[in-house]
Amino acid sequence: MAQTEFPAPGVPAGGLAPPVLAGRDLSKTYDTQRALDGVTIEIGQGEAVAIVGPSGSGKSTLLHVLAGILPADAGEVSLAGRRIDQLGEAGRSELRRDEFGFVFQSGMLVAELTAQENAALPMLLSGVSRPSAMATALEWLGRLGLSGKDKRLPGELSGGEAQRVAIARALGHRPSVIFADEPTGALDTRTGRETMAALLDAARESGAAVVVVTHDRELADSLPRTVVMRDGKVQR
Ligand code: ADP
């Protein structure tokens, strides 16, 4: 089909927006251990995707490569149609700060900072003024059911509450993609389910895509799409 002249820049003639995040033919080997073996994956804007698979199948490596934490040996990563795999360390760290949000297994909150200060941290690092960052952090804490707990230190929060602070922290600077690596792995089943629901709701509200690595199949089933990995490959 001939190209029309009408689509907006970056939008193909078919009218579909490019995926917000795409990895193509990604390979990664640690010493002799092949962790990724030609993985291709596309994440749509605002889409929530679970990456599941047995331990050692390459899930975390894929997440780290897509997030620009770890360089792949081969393949391409694009954010909104722009190659990001060729950026240097400074460019990748800027990207992680401005475009991505992260939620890890055990919150990784700064112990000496209050819930509100923890949630405000990425915004402060991105250059948002302190009053504005603190106000936005408070709003997100409220949306995540943490009203009145903003002055608490991480040690004064339950595991589920701490994870919700981590979710607020991941969302405040309006990233286009949130990466979550076993975000409920340290929580009991019920709190895990509630935390995942809070993450998905909050991401939907801010329009962020979510990539969740988990080995919990039931949890993965609560997301609209599941990608299964085995031996460094995506199972089709
Ligand atoms: P998963 O997240 O599915 O458990 P990983 O991506 O952590 O899988 O690991 C994929 C493979 O790469 C495994 O065989 C693992 O042992 C290996 N691996 C992961 N990280 C390292 C590392 N830093 N050094 C050496 N081997 C690693």
Side-chain angles (χ1 to χ4, degrees), residues 4-79:
T4 73
E5 289 176 9
F6 299 113
V11 177
L16 286 175
V20 66
L21 187 69
R24 288 185 221 295
D25 296 324
L26 296 170
S27 293
K28 176 79 187 172
T29 301
Y30 302 100
D31 304 323
T32 57
Q33 178 64 48
R34 177 154 275 215
L36 296 181
D37 188 5
V39 170
T40 293
I41 184 170
E42 291 192 344
I43 316 287
Q45 286 181 19
E47 191 183 21
V49 180
I51 300 178
V52 298
S55 181
S57 57
K59 305 183 295 295
S60 295
T61 302
L62 176 60
L63 185 128
H64 289 140
V65 165
L66 291 174
I69 295 171
L70 194 67
D73 300 332
E76 298 178 5
V77 182
S78 309
L79 180 70

Side-chain angles (χ1 to χ4, degrees), residues 42-133:
E42 291 192 344
I43 316 287
Q45 286 181 19
E47 191 183 21
V49 180
I51 300 178
V52 298
S55 181
S57 57
K59 305 183 295 295
S60 295
T61 302
L62 176 60
L63 185 128
H64 289 140
V65 165
L66 291 174
I69 295 171
L70 194 67
D73 300 332
E76 298 178 5
V77 182
S78 309
L79 180 70
R82 187 172 69 102
R83 288 279 294 270
I84 58 171
D85 54 278
Q86 294 163 325
L87 293 172
E89 184 44 45
R92 284 192 282 131
S93 104
E94 198 172 300
L95 192 77
R96 292 195 296 268
R97 193 189 66 199
D98 297 339
E99 295 286 342
F100 298 153
F102 296 92
V103 182
F104 297 103
Q105 179 166 348
S106 53
M108 300 227 258
L109 302 176
V110 180
E112 296 79 13
L113 298 182
T114 65
Q116 188 182 11
E117 288 166 338
N118 266 288
L121 208 51
M123 288 179 272
L124 294 170
L125 293 174
S126 291
V128 176
S129 74
R130 186 174 168 90
S132 169

